[in-house]
Amino acid sequence: SLYCKRFNRQDRKMYVKNYFHKSADLKLDNNSMIISDTKNRRDEYMSEVFYELYKDEFTKFKTTGKTAMLYCAGAVEHHSSSRSFPVDVQSSNNVIKSHTSYIASKIAKRLGNISYLNINANTCASSMYAIYEAKMLLKNGFDDVIIYGEEWVENVELLLFKQFNIDLVCSDGFFILHLSNNSKDKKAFIKNPQWLWNPDRAAFFVSCDGYKKSMLPFMKCDIDMVKMHGTGTAQNDIAEYEAIKELFGDIETIEYKSQIGHSQGCSTGVELCMLLDNYKDKNILVNASGLGNFYGSFELAI
């Protein structure tokens, strides 16, 4: 359609050049899953563990052009190995090493060639917003954007959902995603990322209306399937199913959180990588929602 052709011209420079991810593969209990590589290192700092485990992957994301890095944060700040600080806090580095800004800065230095750094803390939709922001950066002078997300389960995160009586399987997740306006050796193409806030009844309440607004621009496009956000909670999943059914009818859907749990801020990034691993020659509509009633969607052409 003319509608889709117009967006194709606008989105010509949003290419996936490289990616790496790890998803949770070991269930600890009814509410938590972890990456098995980290099983014996849960008393260390998350970011340091991931770096040591996957250090070789970092070298694959070196860029030469003007590069931005976007760090994806989750629903709560829980990057330290412990909430029990030593008596002599002033001489300890435990507090600063758990701070999101410190972690993001350290990762940017490890990757190198980063001239812009930002933190996306839109909770469950953090990496969806990072993709939306990447599009704006690529339109405004940047050659490459590295999106980096990491998450692992700690008690403070489990407590957040327990306080609201939400039965959710929280999980670890890790990904690095390289987006570029250079089409050489592209692995996929991201089209027309959407982002909006919808005034739902409560921060944890996901509505059919919110998803419909986010997916509406893609109604006339050739979508083969929908990757649901799929929170894993009955009310939220029903709302998303209703929105998909109303706009796209009996289209094929897929969700990953029933397999790998909910990795909060990096869930969209991890699941995008899983789509790239599992599908070819597909146009997939990718959904996400987050605390505070954020919604996002984009088309992934693999």
Side-chain angles (χ1 to χ4, degrees):
S1 68
L2 291 176
Y3 182 91
C4 288
K5 287 179 180 178
R6 185 175 77 250
F7 278 121
N8 286 349
R9 288 197 297 270
Q10 291 176 351
D11 288 338
R12 196 170 292 160
K13 296 183 179 180
M14 189 74 161
Y15 299 104
V16 178
K17 299 303 293 293
N18 200 4
Y19 68 97
F20 174 77
H21 72 101
K22 286 288 183 177
S23 56
D25 58 345
L26 178 62
K27 188 174 183 179
L28 292 184
D29 52 48
N30 290 334
N31 292 109
S32 55
M33 293 181 66
I34 68 168
I35 295 171
S36 56
D37 291 347
T38 71
K39 182 180 179 181
N40 298 319
R41 304 190 63 177
R42 306 301 287 193
D43 59 344
E44 302 176 51
Y45 285 98
M46 172 187 69
S47 191
E48 302 301 314
V49 171
F50 283 142
Y51 178 64
E52 290 183 26
L53 287 172
Y54 313 124
K55 187 183 297 185
D56 291 345
E57 298 296 332
F58 279 64
T59 63
K60 300 176 183 178
F61 293 89
K62 299 295 183 184
T63 62
T64 56
K66 187 178 180 182
T67 304
M69 190 193 108
L70 307 177
Y71 182 85
C72 298
V76 289
E77 186 181 353
H78 53 95
H79 298 274
S80 66
S81 59
S82 174
R83 291 292 159 183
S84 299
F85 300 125
V87 175
D88 187 9
V89 175
Q90 291 182 339
S91 66
S92 169
N93 63 1
N94 282 18
V95 178
I96 186 64
K97 284 183 71 175
S98 72
H99 197 282
T100 305
S101 299
Y102 174 86
I103 295 168
S105 297
K106 195 166 187 178
I107 291 165
K109 289 181 180 179
R110 285 169 172 167
L111 288 169
N113 192 43
I114 303 297
S115 56
Y116 173 88
L117 172 63
N118 197 21
I119 297 169
N120 289 283
N122 295 291
T123 64
C124 305
S126 295
S127 43
M128 172 62 78
Y129 184 78
I131 290 169
Y132 176 78
E133 184 181 0
K135 181 61 184 177
M136 294 185 285
L137 291 167
L138 291 172
K139 280 185 173 181
N140 288 280
F142 281 86
D143 302 303
D144 301 276
V145 177
I146 303 296
I147 303 178
Y148 186 104
E150 55 186 358
E151 182 84 16
W152 72 4
V153 182
E154 288 188 335
N155 288 336
V156 65
E157 179 183 9
L158 297 172
L159 178 61
L160 171 68
F161 294 103
K162 187 175 182 179
Q163 286 175 330
F164 287 89
N165 295 314
I166 296 174
D167 188 18
L168 190 70
V169 180
C170 297
S171 65
D172 292 355
F174 177 82
F175 79 92
I176 311 176
L177 181 68
H178 178 187
L179 302 179
S180 175
N181 57 21
N182 181 353
S183 63
K184 184 180 179 181
D185 300 323
K186 66 180 181 296
K187 291 179 169 45
F189 179 26
I190 293 177
K191 304 179 183 180
N192 190 25
Q194 300 290 306
W195 181 259
L196 61 91
W197 175 81
N198 196 65
D200 294 332
R201 294 198 295 266
F204 281 95
F205 180 86
V206 172
S207 72
C208 177
D209 181 58
Y211 278 116
K212 282 169 55 180
K213 289 178 181 177
S214 183
M215 293 189 290
L216 196 61
F218 303 93
M219 279 188 66
K220 297 181 181 180
C221 296
D222 296 324
I223 303 298
D224 297 312
M225 64 184 294
V226 179
K227 197 292 294 179
M228 297 178 61
H229 179 66
T231 61
T233 61
Q235 184 275 319
N236 290 352
D237 288 349
I238 290 172
E240 188 175 6
Y241 269 121
E242 289 177 349
I244 294 169
K245 177 76 173 178
E246 183 172 338
L247 295 184
F248 297 99
D250 294 321
I251 194 169
E252 181 183 358
T253 61
I254 186 172
E255 58 81 26
Y256 287 116
K257 292 181 179 64
S258 63
Q259 305 169 41
I260 63 171
H262 196 321
S263 56
Q264 309 306 320
C266 65
S267 60
T268 300
V270 168
E271 293 170 16
L272 164 60
C273 294
M274 294 177 71
L275 290 171
L276 293 171
D277 278 350
N278 297 327
Y279 292 95
K280 289 185 178 180
D281 301 320
K282 286 273 192 180
N283 287 348
I284 304 171
L285 182 58
V286 177
N287 284 341
S289 63
L291 304 182
N293 312 128
F294 301 116
Y295 295 85
S297 300
F298 62 81
E299 182 181 351
L300 178 67
I302 305 175

